[in-house]
Amino acid sequence: MTNEKIFSILRTDPKFIDLTNDELKTLISYCDLERFEKVTTIIKEGEFGNKFFFILEGEVGISKSISDEVIFFISTLKKGDFFGEMAIITDYPRSANAFAKTDTILLSMTRDTLIKFKNEHPLPFGKFAFIIAKTLADRLYKVEDRIKNIIKASVISAIT
């Protein structure tokens, strides 16, 4: 996949609307292209990671290990979604598993590359950091809603 193709995919994504064409091209230049075949593990929960991923093509499943025998499926991410950002922002281990549900093409960036991007291009980095922050806030809202529903179900179950 060429940088022009990657640019055209990202340019049509509303998340990147605030980045100018030059800023978007610069961001792409700091990334690597990675391919994963269907059912390949991309991220393993508990491992330390230094890379995050943006989905260009395909689908990625996100799951959480409850025990050695039980895995809870959380969601399917598609073209335009990204994952793994928490590990490059913090020093915490991966909080979930990610696997290719289909043959998948991803754009990736390491922590060191992100820091280099921040130091060399602070304005587009700020715009990109806002995209990550907004996505994290959206995910937190959904998790809080799930927790509320679990608590509500537990209370109703305890009453009856």
Side-chain angles (χ1 to χ4, degrees), residues 32-65:
D32 294 313
L33 195 65
E34 298 193 41
R35 296 173 189 272
F36 292 89
E37 293 181 359
K38 183 177 180 178
V39 304
T40 303
T41 298
I42 302 167
I43 287 176
K44 188 167 172 48
E45 181 180 357
E47 291 182 348
F48 284 91
N50 74 337
K51 195 186 283 190
F52 88 100
F53 303 90
F54 183 85
I55 303 171
L56 296 173
E57 289 182 13
E59 294 182 352
V60 173
I62 304 297
S63 64
K64 190 105 174 111
S65 299

Side-chain angles (χ1 to χ4, degrees), residues 1-3 6 31-35 56 105-108:
M1 183 177 286
T2 65
N3 278 359
I6 295 168
C31 297
D32 294 313
L33 195 65
E34 298 193 41
R35 296 173 189 272
L56 296 173
I105 301 175
L106 306 172
L107 206 56
S108 67

Side-chain angles (χ1 to χ4, degrees), residues 21-142:
N21 288 345
D22 286 341
E23 290 170 339
L24 188 55
K25 287 176 183 175
T26 300
L27 173 63
I28 292 167
S29 74
Y30 282 79
C31 297
D32 294 313
L33 195 65
E34 298 193 41
R35 296 173 189 272
F36 292 89
E37 293 181 359
K38 183 177 180 178
V39 304
T40 303
T41 298
I42 302 167
I43 287 176
K44 188 167 172 48
E45 181 180 357
E47 291 182 348
F48 284 91
N50 74 337
K51 195 186 283 190
F52 88 100
F53 303 90
F54 183 85
I55 303 171
L56 296 173
E57 289 182 13
E59 294 182 352
V60 173
I62 304 297
S63 64
K64 190 105 174 111
S65 299
I66 306 303
S67 69
D68 289 340
E69 299 83 26
V70 179
I71 295 176
F72 179 72
F73 182 77
I74 298 172
S75 67
T76 297
L77 302 179
K78 299 180 180 185
K79 178 180 176 179
D81 292 326
F82 58 85
F83 60 97
E85 69 285 343
M86 288 170 44
I88 65 163
I89 295 171
T90 70
D91 289 325
Y92 299 131
R94 298 286 191 186
S95 63
N97 302 297
F99 62 94
K101 288 185 77 173
T102 63
D103 289 347
T104 304
I105 301 175
L106 306 172
L107 206 56
S108 67
M109 182 184 281
T110 65
R111 175 183 293 134
D112 290 342
T113 304
L114 181 69
I115 291 168
K116 183 177 178 185
F117 178 60
K118 175 185 73 117
N119 292 336
E120 294 176 358
H121 303 280
L123 181 58
F125 170 80
K127 293 177 183 181
F128 183 61
F130 183 77
I131 293 167
I132 293 173
K134 183 178 181 332
T135 300
L136 286 171
D138 289 344
R139 289 179 184 166
L140 180 60
Y141 179 80
K142 289 175 185 173

